[in-house]
mmCIF file of all heavy atoms in Angstrom:
data_model
loop_
_atom_site.group_PDB
_atom_site.id
_atom_site.type_symbol
_atom_site.label_atom_id
_atom_site.label_comp_id
_atom_site.label_asym_id
_atom_site.label_seq_id
_atom_site.Cartn_x
_atom_site.Cartn_y
_atom_site.Cartn_z
ATOM 1 N N LEU Q 501 117.789 111.836 76.309
ATOM 2 C CA LEU Q 501 117.741 113.295 76.399
ATOM 3 C C LEU Q 501 117.142 113.744 77.731
ATOM 4 O O LEU Q 501 117.622 114.694 78.356
ATOM 5 C CB LEU Q 501 116.923 113.860 75.233
ATOM 6 C CG LEU Q 501 117.555 113.712 73.840
ATOM 7 C CD1 LEU Q 501 116.568 114.126 72.757
ATOM 8 C CD2 LEU Q 501 118.829 114.541 73.742
ATOM 9 N N GLN Q 502 116.085 113.072 78.165
ATOM 10 C CA GLN Q 502 115.478 113.396 79.454
ATOM 11 C C GLN Q 502 116.472 113.182 80.593
ATOM 12 O O GLN Q 502 116.524 113.966 81.549
ATOM 13 C CB GLN Q 502 114.237 112.535 79.670
ATOM 14 C CG GLN Q 502 113.080 112.854 78.737
ATOM 15 C CD GLN Q 502 111.987 111.801 78.796
ATOM 16 O OE1 GLN Q 502 111.992 110.921 79.662
ATOM 17 N NE2 GLN Q 502 111.038 111.878 77.871
ATOM 18 N N SER Q 503 117.269 112.127 80.480
ATOM 19 C CA SER Q 503 118.228 111.806 81.540
ATOM 20 C C SER Q 503 119.302 112.877 81.658
ATOM 21 O O SER Q 503 119.659 113.295 82.765
ATOM 22 C CB SER Q 503 118.883 110.443 81.264
ATOM 23 O OG SER Q 503 117.912 109.405 81.267
ATOM 24 N N VAL Q 504 119.830 113.324 80.527
ATOM 25 C CA VAL Q 504 120.866 114.360 80.544
ATOM 26 C C VAL Q 504 120.328 115.632 81.184
ATOM 27 O O VAL Q 504 120.970 116.245 82.053
ATOM 28 C CB VAL Q 504 121.375 114.645 79.119
ATOM 29 C CG1 VAL Q 504 122.305 115.858 79.118
ATOM 30 C CG2 VAL Q 504 122.104 113.429 78.561
ATOM 31 N N ALA Q 505 119.130 116.052 80.769
ATOM 32 C CA ALA Q 505 118.536 117.280 81.302
ATOM 33 C C ALA Q 505 118.223 117.137 82.788
ATOM 34 O O ALA Q 505 118.467 118.068 83.577
ATOM 35 C CB ALA Q 505 117.268 117.627 80.520
ATOM 36 N N PHE Q 506 117.697 115.992 83.173
ATOM 37 C CA PHE Q 506 117.330 115.779 84.570
ATOM 38 C C PHE Q 506 118.557 115.850 85.469
ATOM 39 O O PHE Q 506 118.546 116.528 86.501
ATOM 40 C CB PHE Q 506 116.629 114.431 84.735
ATOM 41 C CG PHE Q 506 116.187 114.152 86.147
ATOM 42 C CD1 PHE Q 506 114.928 114.520 86.571
ATOM 43 C CD2 PHE Q 506 117.034 113.524 87.053
ATOM 44 C CE1 PHE Q 506 114.522 114.279 87.877
ATOM 45 C CE2 PHE Q 506 116.639 113.281 88.360
ATOM 46 C CZ PHE Q 506 115.375 113.661 88.769
ATOM 47 N N VAL Q 507 119.602 115.143 85.087
ATOM 48 C CA VAL Q 507 120.812 115.117 85.915
ATOM 49 C C VAL Q 507 121.444 116.500 85.988
ATOM 50 O O VAL Q 507 121.891 116.933 87.068
ATOM 51 C CB VAL Q 507 121.810 114.073 85.381
ATOM 52 C CG1 VAL Q 507 123.178 114.240 86.034
ATOM 53 C CG2 VAL Q 507 121.285 112.667 85.624
ATOM 54 N N ARG Q 508 121.491 117.212 84.879
ATOM 55 C CA ARG Q 508 122.085 118.553 84.890
ATOM 56 C C ARG Q 508 121.337 119.468 85.871
ATOM 57 O O ARG Q 508 121.948 120.157 86.695
ATOM 58 C CB ARG Q 508 122.036 119.151 83.485
ATOM 59 C CG ARG Q 508 122.655 120.551 83.408
ATOM 60 C CD ARG Q 508 122.625 121.100 81.997
ATOM 61 N NE ARG Q 508 121.262 121.221 81.479
ATOM 62 C CZ ARG Q 508 120.782 120.496 80.477
ATOM 63 N NH1 ARG Q 508 121.528 119.579 79.880
ATOM 64 N NH2 ARG Q 508 119.549 120.669 80.056
ATOM 65 N N ASN Q 509 120.024 119.456 85.827
ATOM 66 C CA ASN Q 509 119.236 120.337 86.686
ATOM 67 C C ASN Q 509 119.283 119.899 88.147
ATOM 68 O O ASN Q 509 119.430 120.733 89.056
ATOM 69 C CB ASN Q 509 117.781 120.375 86.202
ATOM 70 C CG ASN Q 509 117.637 121.026 84.843
ATOM 71 O OD1 ASN Q 509 118.460 121.853 84.450
ATOM 72 N ND2 ASN Q 509 116.613 120.640 84.094
ATOM 73 N N GLU Q 510 119.155 118.598 88.393
ATOM 74 C CA GLU Q 510 119.133 118.107 89.773
ATOM 75 C C GLU Q 510 120.514 118.223 90.416
ATOM 76 O O GLU Q 510 120.620 118.476 91.621
ATOM 77 C CB GLU Q 510 118.638 116.663 89.802
ATOM 78 C CG GLU Q 510 118.214 116.176 91.180
ATOM 79 C CD GLU Q 510 117.008 116.919 91.728
ATOM 80 O OE1 GLU Q 510 116.278 117.559 90.941
ATOM 81 O OE2 GLU Q 510 116.793 116.861 92.963
ATOM 82 N N ARG Q 511 121.563 118.055 89.621
ATOM 83 C CA ARG Q 511 122.921 118.210 90.143
ATOM 84 C C ARG Q 511 123.146 119.646 90.634
ATOM 85 O O ARG Q 511 123.710 119.870 91.721
ATOM 86 C CB ARG Q 511 123.929 117.857 89.058
ATOM 87 C CG ARG Q 511 125.390 117.929 89.500
ATOM 88 C CD ARG Q 511 126.294 117.516 88.353
ATOM 89 N NE ARG Q 511 126.155 118.385 87.201
ATOM 90 C CZ ARG Q 511 126.223 117.978 85.930
ATOM 91 N NH1 ARG Q 511 126.431 116.716 85.632
ATOM 92 N NH2 ARG Q 511 126.085 118.849 84.942
ATOM 93 N N ALA Q 512 122.678 120.622 89.858
ATOM 94 C CA ALA Q 512 122.822 122.027 90.260
ATOM 95 C C ALA Q 512 122.020 122.306 91.534
ATOM 96 O O ALA Q 512 122.502 123.013 92.439
ATOM 97 C CB ALA Q 512 122.360 122.940 89.127
ATOM 98 N N TRP Q 513 120.809 121.762 91.612
ATOM 99 C CA TRP Q 513 119.972 121.954 92.802
ATOM 100 C C TRP Q 513 120.642 121.347 94.035
ATOM 101 O O TRP Q 513 120.708 121.981 95.101
ATOM 102 C CB TRP Q 513 118.607 121.317 92.564
ATOM 103 C CG TRP Q 513 117.656 121.456 93.715
ATOM 104 C CD1 TRP Q 513 116.756 122.465 93.914
ATOM 105 C CD2 TRP Q 513 117.517 120.567 94.826
ATOM 106 N NE1 TRP Q 513 116.059 122.257 95.092
ATOM 107 C CE2 TRP Q 513 116.501 121.106 95.673
ATOM 108 C CE3 TRP Q 513 118.125 119.380 95.201
ATOM 109 C CZ2 TRP Q 513 116.106 120.483 96.852
ATOM 110 C CZ3 TRP Q 513 117.737 118.755 96.378
ATOM 111 C CH2 TRP Q 513 116.745 119.304 97.194
ATOM 112 N N LEU Q 514 121.137 120.119 93.879
ATOM 113 C CA LEU Q 514 121.735 119.415 95.008
ATOM 114 C C LEU Q 514 123.030 120.089 95.455
ATOM 115 O O LEU Q 514 123.284 120.235 96.657
ATOM 116 C CB LEU Q 514 121.991 117.960 94.616
ATOM 117 C CG LEU Q 514 122.571 117.034 95.682
ATOM 118 C CD1 LEU Q 514 121.711 117.030 96.933
ATOM 119 C CD2 LEU Q 514 122.711 115.615 95.117
ATOM 120 N N GLU Q 515 123.852 120.520 94.510
ATOM 121 C CA GLU Q 515 125.105 121.193 94.866
ATOM 122 C C GLU Q 515 124.832 122.471 95.652
ATOM 123 O O GLU Q 515 125.510 122.764 96.647
ATOM 124 C CB GLU Q 515 125.908 121.515 93.612
ATOM 125 C CG GLU Q 515 127.233 122.198 93.903
ATOM 126 C CD GLU Q 515 127.982 122.596 92.645
ATOM 127 O OE1 GLU Q 515 127.810 121.927 91.603
ATOM 128 O OE2 GLU Q 515 128.738 123.588 92.708
ATOM 129 N N ALA Q 516 123.822 123.228 95.230
ATOM 130 C CA ALA Q 516 123.494 124.473 95.924
ATOM 131 C C ALA Q 516 123.065 124.207 97.363
ATOM 132 O O ALA Q 516 123.433 124.955 98.282
ATOM 133 C CB ALA Q 516 122.388 125.210 95.171
ATOM 134 N N ARG Q 517 122.309 123.160 97.589
ATOM 135 C CA ARG Q 517 121.857 122.856 98.947
ATOM 136 C C ARG Q 517 122.962 122.262 99.806
ATOM 137 O O ARG Q 517 123.005 122.486 101.013
ATOM 138 C CB ARG Q 517 120.649 121.933 98.900
ATOM 139 C CG ARG Q 517 119.352 122.731 98.846
ATOM 140 C CD ARG Q 517 118.594 122.459 97.564
ATOM 141 N NE ARG Q 517 117.490 123.433 97.458
ATOM 142 C CZ ARG Q 517 117.479 124.382 96.518
ATOM 143 N NH1 ARG Q 517 118.502 124.525 95.678
ATOM 144 N NH2 ARG Q 517 116.443 125.198 96.414
ATOM 145 N N LEU Q 518 123.856 121.531 99.191
ATOM 146 C CA LEU Q 518 124.996 121.018 99.946
ATOM 147 C C LEU Q 518 125.858 122.161 100.466
ATOM 148 O O LEU Q 518 126.418 122.083 101.572
ATOM 149 C CB LEU Q 518 125.828 120.086 99.062
ATOM 150 C CG LEU Q 518 125.246 118.696 98.796
ATOM 151 C CD1 LEU Q 518 125.986 118.018 97.653
ATOM 152 C CD2 LEU Q 518 125.312 117.829 100.052
ATOM 153 N N ARG Q 519 125.967 123.230 99.706
ATOM 154 C CA ARG Q 519 126.785 124.365 100.117
ATOM 155 C C ARG Q 519 126.218 125.045 101.365
ATOM 156 O O ARG Q 519 126.936 125.789 102.050
ATOM 157 C CB ARG Q 519 126.889 125.380 98.977
ATOM 158 C CG ARG Q 519 127.715 124.885 97.803
ATOM 159 C CD ARG Q 519 128.041 125.977 96.812
ATOM 160 N NE ARG Q 519 128.785 125.426 95.676
ATOM 161 C CZ ARG Q 519 130.065 125.160 95.690
ATOM 162 N NH1 ARG Q 519 130.775 125.418 96.786
ATOM 163 N NH2 ARG Q 519 130.658 124.647 94.634
ATOM 164 N N CYS Q 520 124.954 124.789 101.654
ATOM 165 C CA CYS Q 520 124.339 125.389 102.842
ATOM 166 C C CYS Q 520 124.624 124.595 104.106
ATOM 167 O O CYS Q 520 124.329 125.075 105.213
ATOM 168 C CB CYS Q 520 122.825 125.496 102.630
ATOM 169 S SG CYS Q 520 122.341 126.602 101.278
ATOM 170 N N LEU Q 521 125.175 123.404 103.978
ATOM 171 C CA LEU Q 521 125.497 122.593 105.145
ATOM 172 C C LEU Q 521 126.800 123.096 105.767
ATOM 173 O O LEU Q 521 127.752 123.411 105.047
ATOM 174 C CB LEU Q 521 125.643 121.124 104.758
ATOM 175 C CG LEU Q 521 124.395 120.422 104.215
ATOM 176 C CD1 LEU Q 521 124.739 119.005 103.760
ATOM 177 C CD2 LEU Q 521 123.290 120.383 105.252
ATOM 178 N N PRO Q 522 126.881 123.145 107.083
ATOM 179 C CA PRO Q 522 128.125 123.622 107.721
ATOM 180 C C PRO Q 522 129.270 122.629 107.531
ATOM 181 O O PRO Q 522 129.080 121.416 107.585
ATOM 182 C CB PRO Q 522 127.729 123.723 109.204
ATOM 183 C CG PRO Q 522 126.562 122.798 109.363
ATOM 184 C CD PRO Q 522 125.817 122.849 108.071
ATOM 185 N N GLY Q 523 130.463 123.168 107.281
ATOM 186 C CA GLY Q 523 131.657 122.340 107.162
ATOM 187 C C GLY Q 523 131.739 121.524 105.896
ATOM 188 O O GLY Q 523 132.483 120.547 105.836
ATOM 189 N N VAL Q 524 131.011 121.951 104.860
ATOM 190 C CA VAL Q 524 130.896 121.147 103.639
ATOM 191 C C VAL Q 524 131.281 121.976 102.421
ATOM 192 O O VAL Q 524 130.894 123.145 102.305
ATOM 193 C CB VAL Q 524 129.452 120.622 103.489
ATOM 194 C CG1 VAL Q 524 129.158 120.215 102.059
ATOM 195 C CG2 VAL Q 524 129.219 119.439 104.415
ATOM 196 N N GLU Q 525 132.037 121.380 101.516
ATOM 197 C CA GLU Q 525 132.416 122.041 100.258
ATOM 198 C C GLU Q 525 132.220 121.080 99.090
ATOM 199 O O GLU Q 525 133.084 120.251 98.800
ATOM 200 C CB GLU Q 525 133.873 122.500 100.300
ATOM 201 C CG GLU Q 525 134.317 123.198 99.021
ATOM 202 C CD GLU Q 525 135.817 123.432 98.949
ATOM 203 O OE1 GLU Q 525 136.505 123.159 99.960
ATOM 204 O OE2 GLU Q 525 136.292 123.855 97.889
ATOM 205 N N PRO Q 526 131.079 121.168 98.371
ATOM 206 C CA PRO Q 526 130.888 120.312 97.201
ATOM 207 C C PRO Q 526 131.795 120.727 96.048
ATOM 208 O O PRO Q 526 132.093 121.912 95.869
ATOM 209 C CB PRO Q 526 129.416 120.519 96.842
ATOM 210 C CG PRO Q 526 129.070 121.849 97.408
ATOM 211 C CD PRO Q 526 129.925 122.027 98.631
ATOM 212 N N ILE Q 527 132.245 119.746 95.274
ATOM 213 C CA ILE Q 527 133.134 119.992 94.147
ATOM 214 C C ILE Q 527 132.312 119.976 92.858
ATOM 215 O O ILE Q 527 131.609 119.006 92.583
ATOM 216 C CB ILE Q 527 134.227 118.905 94.078
ATOM 217 C CG1 ILE Q 527 135.056 118.907 95.376
ATOM 218 C CG2 ILE Q 527 135.131 119.116 92.868
ATOM 219 C CD1 ILE Q 527 136.013 117.745 95.478
ATOM 220 N N PRO Q 528 132.361 121.042 92.049
ATOM 221 C CA PRO Q 528 131.599 121.066 90.791
ATOM 222 C C PRO Q 528 131.919 119.848 89.927
ATOM 223 O O PRO Q 528 133.071 119.441 89.803
ATOM 224 C CB PRO Q 528 132.061 122.370 90.126
ATOM 225 C CG PRO Q 528 132.500 123.234 91.262
ATOM 226 C CD PRO Q 528 133.111 122.295 92.269
ATOM 227 N N SER Q 529 130.874 119.275 89.333
ATOM 228 C CA SER Q 529 131.022 118.006 88.621
ATOM 229 C C SER Q 529 130.334 118.054 87.272
ATOM 230 O O SER Q 529 129.301 118.715 87.100
ATOM 231 C CB SER Q 529 130.419 116.878 89.473
ATOM 232 O OG SER Q 529 130.321 115.668 88.754
ATOM 233 N N ASP Q 530 130.896 117.322 86.298
ATOM 234 C CA ASP Q 530 130.268 117.135 84.991
ATOM 235 C C ASP Q 530 129.496 115.824 84.912
ATOM 236 O O ASP Q 530 128.879 115.541 83.884
ATOM 237 C CB ASP Q 530 131.329 117.135 83.876
ATOM 238 C CG ASP Q 530 131.964 118.498 83.672
ATOM 239 O OD1 ASP Q 530 131.252 119.506 83.827
ATOM 240 O OD2 ASP Q 530 133.166 118.550 83.355
ATOM 241 N N ALA Q 531 129.550 115.025 85.972
ATOM 242 C CA ALA Q 531 128.970 113.684 85.937
ATOM 243 C C ALA Q 531 127.669 113.638 86.743
ATOM 244 O O ALA Q 531 127.108 114.674 87.114
ATOM 245 C CB ALA Q 531 129.981 112.670 86.476
ATOM 246 N N ASN Q 532 127.184 112.453 87.025
ATOM 247 C CA ASN Q 532 125.939 112.272 87.772
ATOM 248 C C ASN Q 532 126.216 112.026 89.253
ATOM 249 O O ASN Q 532 125.462 111.327 89.924
ATOM 250 C CB ASN Q 532 125.129 111.105 87.199
ATOM 251 C CG ASN Q 532 125.857 109.779 87.299
ATOM 252 O OD1 ASN Q 532 127.082 109.727 87.168
ATOM 253 N ND2 ASN Q 532 125.115 108.718 87.544
ATOM 254 N N PHE Q 533 127.304 112.592 89.730
ATOM 255 C CA PHE Q 533 127.648 112.495 91.140
ATOM 256 C C PHE Q 533 128.354 113.780 91.572
ATOM 257 O O PHE Q 533 128.833 114.557 90.736
ATOM 258 C CB PHE Q 533 128.544 111.280 91.424
ATOM 259 C CG PHE Q 533 129.778 111.216 90.566
ATOM 260 C CD1 PHE Q 533 130.908 111.959 90.886
ATOM 261 C CD2 PHE Q 533 129.814 110.417 89.432
ATOM 262 C CE1 PHE Q 533 132.051 111.903 90.096
ATOM 263 C CE2 PHE Q 533 130.955 110.359 88.634
ATOM 264 C CZ PHE Q 533 132.074 111.103 88.967
ATOM 265 N N ILE Q 534 128.395 113.988 92.877
ATOM 266 C CA ILE Q 534 129.075 115.148 93.451
ATOM 267 C C ILE Q 534 129.965 114.654 94.576
ATOM 268 O O ILE Q 534 129.526 113.875 95.426
ATOM 269 C CB ILE Q 534 128.069 116.176 94.008
ATOM 270 C CG1 ILE Q 534 127.121 116.665 92.912
ATOM 271 C CG2 ILE Q 534 128.797 117.362 94.639
ATOM 272 C CD1 ILE Q 534 125.992 117.541 93.425
ATOM 273 N N SER Q 535 131.204 115.085 94.584
ATOM 274 C CA SER Q 535 132.090 114.808 95.704
ATOM 275 C C SER Q 535 132.086 116.000 96.648
ATOM 276 O O SER Q 535 131.975 117.151 96.215
ATOM 277 C CB SER Q 535 133.514 114.523 95.220
ATOM 278 O OG SER Q 535 133.575 113.238 94.639
ATOM 279 N N VAL Q 536 132.197 115.706 97.936
ATOM 280 C CA VAL Q 536 132.072 116.732 98.958
ATOM 281 C C VAL Q 536 133.251 116.637 99.921
ATOM 282 O O VAL Q 536 133.493 115.585 100.521
ATOM 283 C CB VAL Q 536 130.750 116.570 99.742
ATOM 284 C CG1 VAL Q 536 130.640 117.634 100.829
ATOM 285 C CG2 VAL Q 536 129.559 116.647 98.796
ATOM 286 N N ARG Q 537 133.983 117.745 100.060
ATOM 287 C CA ARG Q 537 135.034 117.836 101.082
ATOM 288 C C ARG Q 537 134.399 118.332 102.382
ATOM 289 O O ARG Q 537 133.502 119.176 102.360
ATOM 290 C CB ARG Q 537 136.136 118.785 100.647
ATOM 291 C CG ARG Q 537 136.897 118.307 99.427
ATOM 292 C CD ARG Q 537 138.182 119.079 99.228
ATOM 293 N NE ARG Q 537 138.872 118.612 98.041
ATOM 294 C CZ ARG Q 537 139.621 117.516 97.990
ATOM 295 N NH1 ARG Q 537 139.778 116.781 99.087
ATOM 296 N NH2 ARG Q 537 140.210 117.155 96.872
ATOM 297 N N MET Q 538 134.896 117.810 103.510
ATOM 298 C CA MET Q 538 134.305 118.160 104.796
ATOM 299 C C MET Q 538 135.402 118.425 105.813
ATOM 300 O O MET Q 538 136.515 117.925 105.671
ATOM 301 C CB MET Q 538 133.405 117.015 105.283
ATOM 302 C CG MET Q 538 132.324 116.621 104.279
ATOM 303 S SD MET Q 538 131.429 115.154 104.815
ATOM 304 C CE MET Q 538 132.767 113.967 104.958
#
């Protein structure tokens, strides 16, 4: 349960910060990884 909650919250945090990088487009994900188009 801790793992599911941790990944959900950290994934949202990481995706938001990736969007601030120039030339980067993170793809919303249901898993414990994020793909990024550049």
Side-chain angles (χ1 to χ4, degrees):
L501 292 172
Q502 292 168 10
S503 298
V504 172
F506 181 91
V507 168
R508 181 178 61 247
N509 294 334
E510 196 65 19
R511 182 178 61 216
W513 180 91
L514 182 55
E515 181 184 331
R517 270 118 190 112
L518 285 166
R519 291 191 183 280
C520 296
L521 296 175
V524 160
E525 180 190 353
I527 300 171
S529 170
D530 291 325
N532 62 325
F533 53 82
I534 301 173
S535 286
V536 179
R537 295 194 181 280
M538 305 173 302

